[in-house]
Structure formats: C-alpha cells, structure tokens
Amino acid sequence: QAQLVESGGGLVQSGGSLRLTCTASGTIYKINSMAWYRQTPGKQRELVARITSEGNTNYAESVTGRFTISRDSGKKTMYLQMNNLQPEDTAVYYCHTNIWRQPFDRPLDYWGQGTQVTVSA
C-alpha cells in the first residue's frame, strides 16, 4: 500500500505566503511526475503545477511567478511555495502522482487527502 499526505495549509492574509508539503510513503518502487491541484466548491479540480522526475516544471497561468513547485526525490516529497497569495487562491489543495509499487506493476493513481488554503482580503 502507498499513500500521499499533505500538510502546510492554513489561513493567511492577502499578500502572504504558505508552503505546502506532500510526502509519499509505503510500498513504492518508482514515482515519475508529481503535481498539485486545487478545487473550490462547485468547480472542477484544476492543475496548479507539475514537476517531472527530471525537475521540469509547468504552472497554471494564474499562479505563474507567484508559486514554485519543487521536489526531493530521495525523500519522495514535493513542495509548493506560494507567495503573494490572493483571495482567489482559496481552495483545497491536493497532491497527485502515479506510483509503481513493484517493477513490473502498472502505475496506480494516488491523491492526497487535501489541505485547505484560505486567503483573506
């Protein structure tokens, strides 16, 4: 079994910063790309940022220049540094990845439990 656990959400004022952490644990042979998504009530979950195993990144246009995604592959941990937060960034943030549990298994889809980020005006 494997799992993703997020931490670091909270309440912050507009213009403030937060750092989210996502750690994968359990039976893991390989992880490729990891990503952060966010969701607000009544809306579809949207991609915020993605990072490949080689460290290549891409961001949603709305967060480019404010958010930075990074990872520590040795620790199977991914981070999202969020600066200059705005009220429209308020959402539940989820981490996502595909995990190979054994060398010849097909990858399985994993989501974290979500962490709430609330930005007050």
Side-chain angles (χ1 to χ4, degrees):
Q1 192 67 298
Q3 64 176 349
L4 300 177
V5 177
E6 301 122 339
S7 63
L11 173 64
V12 65
Q13 289 187 332
S14 180
S17 299
L18 286 173
R19 188 193 198 206
L20 305 183
T21 299
C22 171
T23 300
S25 63
T27 303
I28 298 172
Y29 168 70
K30 184 175 71 171
I31 296 175
N32 280 347
S33 295
M34 301 182 76
W36 289 99
Y37 287 76
R38 66 187 181 187
Q39 188 171 25
T40 54
K43 292 189 177 181
Q44 283 192 324
R45 198 168 290 188
E46 63 171 356
L47 177 67
V48 176
R50 175 178 283 117
I51 184 167
T52 69
S53 56
E54 294 80 17
N56 298 313
T57 60
N58 64 281
Y59 296 90
E61 186 175 348
S62 59
V63 307
T64 298
R66 301 187 297 122
F67 291 10
T68 303
I69 190 171
S70 60
R71 67 189 285 179
D72 181 335
S73 295
K75 295 181 180 179
K76 301 182 178 64
T77 299
M78 173 179 64
Y79 307 96
L80 186 67
Q81 178 65 43
M82 305 185 293
N83 297 328
N84 191 22
L85 282 160
Q86 301 300 313
E88 54 265 35
D89 295 315
T90 295
V92 178
Y93 285 70
Y94 298 89
C95 64
H96 173 265
T97 190
N98 298 117
I99 294 176
W100 283 255
R101 293 170 59 193
Q102 302 294 340
F104 300 107
D105 278 355
R106 62 182 176 87
L108 299 178
D109 201 49
Y110 285 87
W111 291 90
Q113 82 284 2
T115 185
Q116 176 70 46
V117 171
T118 303
V119 185
S120 62

